């Protein structure tokens, strides 16, 4: 598969496919000198938001990935198949219309595949990444996908499934949609959850149970949920409810209240984002 390398100041960028679909790729950001004697602090999988819709791309994660690489981390800015716009709005009861290639289960499979592909990144770059030092930083819908992905190892252990090649050691969720059922009831972003899942929960209860981080507890992985009460795009309660449920289940989850709007969390220089980077460093000491 083809991949192209681009250099930007003190950061090296390389786009690497992890599957055959045009949306199955990640862009690896490495500090200049990585692999030539300079140790990495760990790897951060950046998972962008956009309510899982096709219109929003991994471009949203580029400023974070650049910043993380400038601070000594490897950053894997992950693209994945998203659901097409317009679904979940025209059918009876919120039934989703046909949606491109993404949505349930393709979006989830892509995130899992993309993270596991980190085990093979050295084949492309010559820079080995420690699979025991990988965390995720996910914004909004990306926070949902990051916490879902962090639960793969525990879910596989409970069900006898195949363990992930690259288990996540922790997650920083930035205004994550961590209570999928509540987000569906609230019909956030014009029924974005029904659009993702291919229909309402009343018609797809088994699928929602598999996709909702609230139903996959405990995951045994630290989750730091960073959220502002001023967020008008993703309600603060989604993070609060998840952290309460996770702690009750025995997980090491923490809620961090911050200031600013939905996008301050992904804007380097903003206090909300600086909090997120500090939490990444806490997960990768």
């Amino acid at each position: 598969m083809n991949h192209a390398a681009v250099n930007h100041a003190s950061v090296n960028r390389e786009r690497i496919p992890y599957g055959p679909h045009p949306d199955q790729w990640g862009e690896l950001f490495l500090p200049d000198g990585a692999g030539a004697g300079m140790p990495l602090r760990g790897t951060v999988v950046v998972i962008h938001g956009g309510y899982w819709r096709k219109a929003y791309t991994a471009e949203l994660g580029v400023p974070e990935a650049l910043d993380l690489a400038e601070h000594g981390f490897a950053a894997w800015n992950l693209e994945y198949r998203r659901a097409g716009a317009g679904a979940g709005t025209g059918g009876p009861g919120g039934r989703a219309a046909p949606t491109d290639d993404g949505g349930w289960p393709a979006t989830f499979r892509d995130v899992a595949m993309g993270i596991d592909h980190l085990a093979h990144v050295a084949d492309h770059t010559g820079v080995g990444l420690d699979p025991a030092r990988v965390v995720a930083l996910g914004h909004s819908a990306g926070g949902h996908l990051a916490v879902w992905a962090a639960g793969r190892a525990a879910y596989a252990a409970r069900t006898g499934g195949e363990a992930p090649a690259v288990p996540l050691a922790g997650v920083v969720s930035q205004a994550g949609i961590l209570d999928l059922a509540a987000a569906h009831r609230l019909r956030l972003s014009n029924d974005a959850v029904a659009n993702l899942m291919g229909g309402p929960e009343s018609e797809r209860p088994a699928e929602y149970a598999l996709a909702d981080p609230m139903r996959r507890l405990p995951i045994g992985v630290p989750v730091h949920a960073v959220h502002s009460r001023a967020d008008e795009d993703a309600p603060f309660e989604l993070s609060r409810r998840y952290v309460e449920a996770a702690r009750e289940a025995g997980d090491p989850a923490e809620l961090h209240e911050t200031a600013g709007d939905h996008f301050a969390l992904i804007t380097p220089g903003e206090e909300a984002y600086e909090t997120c980077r500090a939490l990444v460093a806490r997960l990768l000491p």
Side-chain angles (χ1 to χ4, degrees):
M1 291 184 282
N2 294 326
H3 59 283
V6 180
N7 294 337
H8 182 276
S10 59
V11 175
N12 297 325
R13 303 172 56 173
E14 186 166 2
R15 180 164 159 165
I16 303 169
Y18 61 82
H21 190 279
D23 289 336
Q24 292 175 324
W25 56 270
E27 189 173 17
L28 185 66
F29 292 69
L30 292 171
D32 192 29
M38 188 188 80
L40 291 167
R41 298 175 67 182
T43 302
V44 185
V45 182
V46 178
I47 308 180
H48 72 85
Y51 273 107
W52 312 280
R53 286 198 167 99
K54 183 74 173 176
Y56 301 94
T57 72
E59 189 66 25
L60 288 167
V62 168
E64 295 179 282
L66 283 168
D67 176 78
L68 289 163
E70 287 168 355
H71 283 83
F73 300 97
W76 178 233
N77 187 29
L78 190 62
E79 189 58 283
Y80 50 89
R81 286 174 288 177
R82 286 91 62 216
T89 60
R95 181 186 297 278
T99 62
D100 295 340
D101 294 305
W104 176 269
T107 295
F108 297 79
R109 288 174 176 164
D110 282 3
V111 170
M113 287 172 57
I115 294 171
D116 284 349
H117 195 70
L118 286 169
H120 307 290
V121 159
D123 298 341
H124 298 279
T125 66
V127 178
L129 304 178
D130 184 351
R133 293 182 58 78
V134 179
V135 302
L137 177 67
H139 179 238
S140 194
H144 158 259
L145 293 170
V147 174
W148 174 88
R152 288 191 301 147
Y155 183 77
R158 286 195 293 268
T159 61
E162 184 177 355
V166 180
L168 292 175
V171 174
V172 177
S173 168
Q174 304 161 294
I177 311 301
L178 303 186
D179 185 340
L180 201 66
H184 177 50
R185 289 193 299 271
L186 293 169
R187 303 183 69 180
L188 295 182
S189 187
N190 202 18
D191 277 337
V193 176
N195 185 59
L196 169 73
M197 297 303 299
E201 186 174 10
S202 59
E203 296 181 6
R204 314 204 77 192
E207 289 83 354
Y208 274 73
L210 290 170
D212 192 342
M214 291 280 282
R215 322 269 189 96
R216 293 167 65 88
L217 295 168
I219 63 172
V221 173
V223 172
H224 293 282
V226 187
H227 217 132
S228 168
R229 293 182 188 270
D231 195 318
E232 297 181 353
D233 295 279
F236 178 83
E237 288 301 299
L238 300 181
S239 287
R240 184 191 65 78
R241 284 168 54 85
Y242 176 83
V243 169
E244 286 185 356
R247 290 174 67 88
E248 287 178 6
D251 278 344
E254 295 183 24
L255 179 63
H256 305 266
E257 186 172 348
T258 189
D261 64 13
H262 193 58
F263 296 97
L265 288 156
I266 60 172
T267 304
E270 292 283 349
E271 179 183 350
Y273 171 76
E274 300 300 315
T275 296
C276 294
R277 181 171 9 88
L279 289 168
V280 166
R282 182 171 154 191
L283 289 170
L284 294 170

